[in-house]
Amino acid sequence: MTQAPGDTRRRGLDPLKTALWSIAGLLALLWSGLAWAAAAVVRWTVEALSTGQAAELGKTAVEFKFPAWLEPFLDTGLLSALQDLARWVLEMAGQGAPLAGAAVGWLVPVVWVGWALGLLTLFAIAGLLHLALRSLPRIGGPATT
């Protein structure tokens, strides 16, 4: 396709702009999926803490014993330290369980506000890069004045 003499569009940069916005769209989809997953995890965690389900899961994890044949390959000291840490975290979480129901009311919106700010930043950067591409001189063609 040839350009008309008065046409000042830079067709040589169109593939770069297309790639830029394609990458920005892909990153926006990934960012949105991450925010959706984070909101779901926050909602599940708060519900599990408020109903006591997390304490039951934690007790199962703390009481878990590895098979005897696997112990030579594992650092049992590190595993017992991790189990002690999990036990301590569960005790601390159990004390805050009554507050957990109220926390979901503001934690999930915080996740979505973070999503919106991240998306706005992503599209602002893509827009600035788009403007930078527009200001580049055309390569491989006659200079436009």
Side-chain angles (χ1 to χ4, degrees):
M1 190 192 250
T2 60
Q3 280 183 304
D7 191 6
T8 59
R9 290 179 286 171
R10 292 175 174 87
R11 295 195 187 276
L13 296 178
D14 284 345
L16 288 177
K17 291 177 188 175
T18 302
L20 169 70
W21 287 107
S22 296
I23 292 170
L26 179 64
L27 289 175
L29 284 174
L30 291 172
W31 181 249
S32 297
L34 179 66
W36 175 79
V41 166
V42 165
R43 191 175 295 119
W44 176 84
T45 303
V46 169
E47 289 174 5
L49 284 174
S50 63
T51 61
Q53 184 183 17
E56 292 175 18
L57 289 173
K59 286 179 187 175
T60 303
V62 169
E63 295 170 356
F64 180 76
K65 299 292 182 199
F66 286 95
W69 62 270
L70 195 58
E71 287 185 7
F73 302 105
L74 300 173
D75 183 6
T76 55
L78 177 64
L79 292 176
S80 65
L82 288 174
Q83 286 178 329
D84 290 339
L85 176 66
R87 185 177 296 117
W88 177 78
V89 167
L90 287 171
E91 289 172 4
M92 299 306 285
Q95 294 173 0
L99 300 174
V104 76
W106 62 271
L107 281 176
V108 172
V110 165
V111 169
W112 288 112
V113 166
W115 167 79
L117 292 175
L119 203 63
L120 183 65
T121 303
L122 173 70
F123 285 137
I125 291 170
L128 290 173
L129 288 173
H130 180 92
L131 291 175
L133 285 175
R134 282 183 56 189
S135 67
L136 288 176
R138 186 171 155 194
I139 299 172
T144 57
T145 55

